[in-house]
Amino acid sequence: MPIATVNPANGETVKTYEAMDEEEVERRLQLAEATFRTYRTTGFADRARLMNRAAELLDQDQRDIARVMTTEMGKPVGQARAEAAKCARAMRWYAERAEALLADEEPDESDVHDSGATRARVRYRPLGPVLAVMPWNFPLWQVVRFAAPALMAGNVGLLKHASNVPQTALYLEDLFHRAGFEVGCFQTLLIGSAQVDDVLRDERVKAATLTGSEPAGRAVASTAGEMIKKTVLELGGSDPFVVMPSADVDRAARVAVTARVQNNGQSCIAAKRFIVHTDVYDAFAERFVAGMAALKVGDPMDEDTEIGPLASEQGRTDLEELVDDARRGGASVLCGGERPDRPGWYYPPTVLAGVTREMRIHREEAFGPVATLYRAGDLDEALLIANDSPFGLSSSVWTRDDAEADRFARDLEAGGVFFNGMTASHPAFPFGGVKRSGFGRELSGHGIREFCNITTVWHGA
C-alpha cells in the first residue's frame, strides 16, 4: 500500500510520501536509543510539564488537525474534533497521575523481614524504545493512548502509523517536538508494513504495541515472541449489546444507534451484535431500525453529517461481501444494504436480522455501519450468543436487575462490561480484550506499567 492521503469522500489522492529508506530508519533508531539513555533519568515533573504543553498545543490545533483526520479517513469532522479533545485530556490525565501510578511499592514489613532483608521495595523502570504499530480509524487517539503513558514512564516511542494517515502521523511527531520533548523521544517512521519486521527485530527496540487486525497482530506477536520482546495487542472486536426486559428500551435503542455507527461504524469497540430478549425484541427492533435508517449520510466536512464514507474502497468491499453472504444465507435486510450511487466509499447504515452461525458476519468483524439483530429467549441464551464469538473486547448490557447484572459481569467473555451505557475508553480504566481481541492492557495504571521493568530492590543486612 502506498503511503498517501486519499480522500475517502471522493477517492482523490491528496498527497503521497516516499517510504523512509534503511539509512533514515537506522538514523532514527540510533537517535531513539541515544535519547532514551538521558530521557529515562528525567523526573516526573519535567515529563509532566512537557506533556501538559503537548496537550495545550493540541487544543490550539484542534480544528486544523480534525480536518486533516477527516480528509485522511473520513470520520465526521465534529467527531474528529472530539477525538483531538479526548487526546488532550488523556495527556493531562497521565501528566497529573503518572508519578503516583509508578511510585515505589513497599511490601509488608513482615514479608521484608521474612525474606532476610532489612528493607525492600518494588520499582517501575522504563524499558526503552517502544515500537507502536497503529491503525487509521482513530489516528490520534490510538497513538496518544500509547504515547502519553509510555513517555510519562520514561520510555521513548517509534510510531509506524497506517499508510493512509501519513499527515496525522507526521503531525504527532511535530506536536511532541513543539512541546519541548527531545527529537528522539517520539519519532514517526514512514515505512510500509513489510519493514515492520526488521524494526521489531532490532535489538534497540525493547517492546511493541499494536492496535489493528488479527493478521497484523499475529505477525507482530510471532516476531516479538521469537525475539522475546514484550507486546500489547488490541485487535478486532465484535461486541455484543444485550437488552433485557427490565431495560429502558427507548433509551437502549437510541444509544444502540450511536454505539453501532460511531466513527462511521469503524471502531473495534463499537457494538456490532444486538442481542435482545424476546419480550422486548419487537419494540427494540422497531426503534433501532428507524434510528439507523434516519441517519444522515454525507460529506464528513459538513457539521450535520452523521455518517461519512468508509476509510478505503477495500474496506467497503469487505463489508459488502459480509452483507451479501448473510443475504444469500437467508438473513433479512431491515434497512440499508445497498451501495449508494455517489462518489466516495460510502455505505449506508444497515441492519440484518435472522443471522445464523453459518454466516460469515456471525463470526467475523463488520468494520462499518452494519448491525446484526439476534433474538434471545432468556438470560442463558443471551449469554450463549454473546460469547459465541472469537472476539472478546468489550460488551454492553441493558438491565435494571441486579442479579442479571451480576451474572453478566461474571460470565461475559470480554475485557469490559458496560451496563446501561455504550462502551467507551477512558484513561482511568484499563482497556483491552481476551480471546482473539488480543492481550495486555492500555490506559489506567495497568497500561502505564505494561512497558516497565518491574524491579525488586532488596537490601540485606
Side-chain angles (χ1 to χ4, degrees), residues 64-319:
D64 290 340
I65 188 57
R67 293 183 68 85
V68 170
M69 286 191 285
T70 295
T71 299
E72 291 202 305
M73 54 71 58
K75 71 174 71 215
V77 70
Q79 294 182 27
R81 290 196 301 271
E83 179 176 340
K86 181 176 184 177
C87 290
R89 290 194 298 271
M91 289 173 170
R92 293 186 175 100
W93 193 91
Y94 274 109
E96 179 182 343
R97 294 170 174 81
E99 184 171 12
L101 293 172
L102 297 179
D104 289 356
E105 295 179 8
E106 302 291 338
D108 186 272
E109 188 174 343
S110 63
D111 291 326
V112 173
H113 292 315
D114 187 58
S115 74
T118 56
R119 56 194 174 97
R121 65 190 184 279
V122 176
R123 171 164 288 182
Y124 294 94
R125 298 186 292 164
L127 289 178
V130 179
L131 173 65
V133 182
M134 293 289 112
W136 47 261
N137 57 334
F138 291 94
L140 273 186
W141 173 241
Q142 306 280 15
V143 178
V144 167
R145 76 184 191 193
F146 138 75
L151 288 170
M152 286 304 302
N155 296 299
V156 300
L158 294 162
L159 170 64
K160 190 288 179 205
H161 217 325
S163 294
N164 60 331
V165 291
Q167 293 186 64
T168 307
L170 292 170
Y171 167 80
L172 282 158
E173 179 181 84
D174 181 63
L175 174 68
F176 286 113
H177 296 174
R178 285 189 288 138
F181 285 95
E182 291 184 59
V183 175
C185 283
F186 187 93
Q187 300 178 87
T188 286
L189 303 179
L190 284 185
I191 59 176
S193 298
Q195 295 169 271
V196 170
D197 191 73
D198 287 340
V199 174
L200 184 53
R201 290 180 182 277
D202 194 287
E203 291 186 358
R204 291 164 292 192
V205 174
K206 302 304 181 185
T209 178
L210 177 140
T211 299
S213 68
E214 186 180 335
R218 289 181 186 275
V220 165
S222 177
T223 297
E226 182 181 342
M227 302 304 295
I228 316 179
K229 294 183 180 182
K230 176 68 179 290
T231 55
V232 170
L233 302 181
E234 192 266 279
L235 308 179
S238 190
D239 290 2
F241 187 105
V242 182
V243 183
M244 298 300 287
S246 63
D248 180 337
V249 175
D250 285 339
R251 181 166 173 265
R254 288 195 303 273
V255 174
V257 173
T258 303
R260 175 63 286 234
V261 303
Q262 60 174 317
N263 206 46
N264 301 339
Q266 299 165 123
S267 171
C268 295
I269 57 168
K272 299 183 177 78
R273 298 177 296 131
F274 296 82
I275 303 160
V276 187
H277 191 283
T278 189
D279 290 353
V280 292
Y281 179 92
D282 291 338
F284 176 88
E286 179 182 2
R287 292 162 174 77
F288 179 55
V289 173
M292 291 282 283
L295 292 167
K296 181 177 179 180
V297 178
D299 183 348
M301 289 295 185
D302 290 346
E303 293 292 342
D304 57 350
T305 289
E306 295 170 295
I307 303 287
L310 298 186
S312 69
E313 188 172 17
Q314 185 60 53
R316 181 174 67 177
T317 298
D318 293 343
L319 194 65

